[in-house]
Amino acid sequence: MLELPSWLPSPVQVAVPLALAASLALVWRLDRPRGRWGRRLRSRFVLGVPWGTLASVCGVLAVYLFVQQGAARWRAPLTLPFSSWSYLYPTGWLFAAFSHAGPGHLVGNLTTTLAVAPLAEYFFGHFRRERGHNPFSSWRSNPYVRAFLVFPAGVFVVGLATSLLAWGPIIGFSGVAFAFVGFALVRYPLATVVAVSAQGVVRTVYRALRDPVAFGSGGTSFSQPWWYGIAVQGHALGLFLGVLAGVLVLYRRRERPDALGLWTGAVVLGVSMNLWAVWWYRGESSYVLYRGLGVLFVVAVAALVAAAATADARSLSLPLVEDVTRQQVGVVALLIPLAVMAGVAIPVNLTSVDGASVPGEGPGIETGGYTVTYAEGVRNEKVSVVDVELFGETTNVTTSGVIVVNDDREIWTQQVPKARLASAGRLGVRVGGLGWSEVVGVQRRGWSVADGPTAYQVWLHGPDDDGWTHTYASDPATAGPTLANRTVDVVPANGTFYLRVSNDNATFRTAPMPAVNESVTIGPVRFEREQRRLFAAVDGTRLRIATRENRN
């Protein structure tokens, strides 16, 4: 059978775009009068193309490929130095809104942008709408300037705003994507709902082109709630910025959308885009989702957007205020939540982790100003940067896992949760900056005792190290079964696992864990190791006492 070269697309990858093109051609043929969509697009876009959207997408993709080094490591980009850690670290807040945590994060935001941003750009328009106006009479109305400079510049400014006004470290273009949604929503609510739904089509087609056939199997892996990590505050910030800009354009053009349609579109979009997913920490690996409060928030935002966008220029009689219009009140109403967000964000982002101690008792790996270590039950210096207790919740939370600290970049973060390291066994933590990166290896080994916990240890491997550095050992793990009135413990210490046997008189005997297919005797108990399993035998009784952790 003839095999095609690996670089050639598969028949399915060729068939998908051909089928799309044929389907669109058929619809174009059926639509009458032909050419009206082209005329509409050319009336708002230079050559009928949303150049600002394409320029923005290319810019974000360039950051991922070249700044985050995604071209060399598509699935493992450099992320730590490109999050908005603090106002004292400009590189972070300059790049945070345009960087991404991985390919899935990037594709999700770019597909949303490709689906919604053209509608927002259509509302903005490359051509001024006044009759008889010469678009080339000034640089402000020049369609090429508006397409290639003004719209991308607006995207950049909104991106910086979502970074500077974030409540703590953020990374990703989603805030800007929500701004596109908010801007388009106030003028085209139904079309915006359709566009947001269409981004799922765009994403599915992309995945079909990239991987026409996918394989999967059952297994166990580390997972967190789907809503953990959703930057609801950042999404709401982007939405309000987009709505405010859109409302100002409506006022200037003296356009007034339908209030019910706008409210309905805002509710549908807020729910479908998970703007209701308000959550917080509840312990080290537990989180609480305020679903009811989130739905109330979405409904309130929809009412505010509808009221502001449909306000007219008539005067209002308000106590202590004279000569104020409904539109001015609408603008102030949209500015209030933005002011509240800024009031929280500014003190949070002005804080510094300079002088914060590196957690953990064991040695860490230092490279390029970063310190990578492992610790458990330590105070999260970033979440707890401002000590607040409200409605039974607190910012004073603890964390466990691989911790990365860099005072120069104001970085203090749990980069790998404890449970994820336990599931993976071994992984790498990428640190770096503009133009460089290094990987620090982390591995965990452990023994799970019968009817009991797991005893484990953690090692680190620096980029220039020949071997592994032991950094953490857990408490001993006591097996549930007793053997001849004796208790068995697995004791981790100094990179070695020991077996300890104690009796009623509290006398202890220890011996190193036997190697594979070997045995060791402690008093009357004989321990036999078969691959990952450890058995104990005494007085003719033999049972499994411990199992080595399985690495996925």
Side-chain angles (χ1 to χ4, degrees), residues 111-112 115-116 191-204:
T111 52
T112 302
V116 182
T192 306
V193 172
V194 173
V196 170
S197 302
Q199 66 92 18
V201 178
V202 176
R203 188 181 307 180
T204 301

Side-chain angles (χ1 to χ4, degrees), residues 343-404:
V344 176
I346 291 174
V348 168
N349 292 316
L350 280 174
T351 56
S352 171
V353 299
D354 186 29
S357 61
V358 176
E361 299 179 357
I365 297 296
E366 297 185 5
T367 178
Y370 291 88
T371 300
V372 181
T373 188
Y374 183 91
E376 294 189 4
V378 297
R379 185 173 183 263
N380 190 315
E381 296 292 341
K382 265 300 178 182
V383 177
S384 307
V385 67
V386 178
D387 193 2
V388 177
E389 293 188 11
L390 194 65
F391 304 119
E393 304 298 342
T394 178
T395 59
N396 188 14
V397 299
T398 58
T399 190
S400 298
V402 180
I403 311 295
V404 180

Side-chain angles (χ1 to χ4, degrees), residues 362-363 443-447 455-460 468-474 490-499 511-513 529 548 551:
Q443 71 170 340
R444 162 177 156 154
R445 297 176 184 172
W447 286 86
Y456 55 91
Q457 303 187 70
V458 178
W459 291 261
L460 302 171
W468 290 83
T469 300
H470 179 262
T471 188
Y472 182 83
S474 72
V490 176
V491 182
N494 302 319
T496 303
F497 289 93
Y498 298 89
L499 295 172
M513 180 73 66
R529 180 174 172 184
R548 185 171 177 176
R551 298 176 183 174

Side-chain angles (χ1 to χ4, degrees), residues 25-44:
L26 175 61
V27 173
W28 190 273
R29 179 75 177 176
L30 295 174
D31 197 18
R32 304 288 181 142
R34 290 192 296 272
R36 62 176 179 173
W37 293 106
R39 287 193 297 271
R40 287 185 179 181
L41 293 176
R42 288 191 296 271
S43 70
R44 304 295 292 151

Side-chain angles (χ1 to χ4, degrees), residues 399-418:
T399 190
S400 298
V402 180
I403 311 295
V404 180
V405 181
N406 188 317
D407 289 347
D408 296 334
R409 293 179 168 86
E410 305 300 332
I411 296 174
W412 197 108
T413 180
Q414 177 218 60
Q415 190 66 8
V416 181
K418 169 186 173 181

Side-chain angles (χ1 to χ4, degrees), residues 447-534:
W447 286 86
S448 299
V449 300
D451 300 328
T454 299
Y456 55 91
Q457 303 187 70
V458 178
W459 291 261
L460 302 171
H461 184 276
D464 300 321
D465 294 346
D466 294 329
W468 290 83
T469 300
H470 179 262
T471 188
Y472 182 83
S474 72
D475 293 332
T478 302
T482 57
L483 300 169
N485 204 29
R486 287 172 172 79
T487 301
V488 177
D489 301 321
V490 176
V491 182
N494 302 319
T496 303
F497 289 93
Y498 298 89
L499 295 172
R500 182 173 65 190
V501 177
S502 60
N503 58 20
D504 291 338
N505 297 324
T507 57
F508 300 90
R509 297 181 182 180
T510 62
M513 180 73 66
V516 176
N517 297 326
E518 294 187 4
S519 62
V520 64
T521 300
I522 303 177
V525 183
R526 178 180 175 83
F527 295 94
E528 302 171 350
R529 180 174 172 184
E530 298 178 1
Q531 300 300 325
R532 295 175 43 250
R533 298 175 298 176
L534 180 70

Side-chain angles (χ1 to χ4, degrees), residues 54-71 74 95 98-100 106 110:
L54 298 180
S56 302
V57 168
C58 289
V60 172
L61 187 58
V63 170
Y64 188 86
L65 293 177
F66 305 114
V67 178
Q68 294 188 257
Q69 305 172 17
W74 173 253
F95 284 99
F98 313 103
S99 304
H100 288 85
L106 174 73
L110 290 190

